[in-house]
Amino acid sequence: MKILHALMRFYSYLFTLFLSVFLTGFGVVAYISGLHNWKLDTFIWTGEDLSKAMLILGILGGLSVLLAFFNIFKGLLPVMALIFFGLMVYGFFYQGYRFADAETFQGTAALAFGALGSFFCSLMMFKRER
């Protein structure tokens, strides 16, 4: 069981870190280029607010992984994993996003289920050790 527990924690770290690096990269590129006239259909924000939100979410996600990994503050990782899952569900499924084909929908659904799995795996950090 200890190996399964460790694998679940590692999956949560890896998934959240992947999304955090992705969002931070977009935010940094937007600020370096100085272009904030963009909009993504899957996000609530537009323009410079979108750039700020991506940068903030990415940095908070990366920080949550580091803090959880070093057992400093474990509570931030499940919160960030839940925020990422909520943003995916809202952006792709609730807002009426149109998928190009069935494969795109299946890939997006798999990504959303991966984010949900990351949230549940991040809760394993609160399991009591014997």
Side-chain angles (χ1 to χ4, degrees), residues 5-127:
H5 182 256
L7 285 174
M8 291 174 76
R9 284 179 49 187
F10 181 70
Y11 172 74
S12 179
Y13 295 155
L14 204 61
F15 193 89
T16 306
L17 191 62
F18 170 75
L19 286 178
S20 299
V21 167
F22 185 74
L23 291 173
T24 304
F26 269 120
V28 166
V29 167
Y31 272 103
I32 288 175
S33 67
L35 299 174
H36 302 288
N37 57 350
W38 57 311
K39 180 186 183 306
L40 296 175
D41 293 335
T42 57
F43 279 93
I44 304 166
W45 308 279
T46 59
E48 189 172 355
D49 292 336
L50 179 61
S51 302
K52 286 179 188 176
M54 285 189 163
L55 197 57
I56 290 169
L57 285 171
I59 290 172
L60 278 177
L63 187 65
S64 70
V65 171
L66 285 175
L67 291 176
F69 183 76
F70 291 113
N71 287 327
I72 297 172
F73 183 56
K74 298 178 191 178
L76 188 59
L77 184 64
V79 170
M80 289 307 300
L82 187 62
I83 287 172
F84 288 154
F85 172 69
L87 283 173
M88 282 184 205
V89 168
Y90 178 79
F92 287 116
F93 303 112
Y94 183 73
Q95 265 191 331
Y97 181 80
R98 294 187 184 263
F99 298 97
D101 54 5
E103 280 186 32
T104 307
F105 173 75
Q106 290 171 352
T108 305
L111 184 67
F113 279 119
L116 182 63
S118 174
F119 168 68
F120 285 128
C121 290
S122 69
L123 293 176
M124 290 299 293
M125 287 188 292
F126 299 110
K127 181 182 174 232

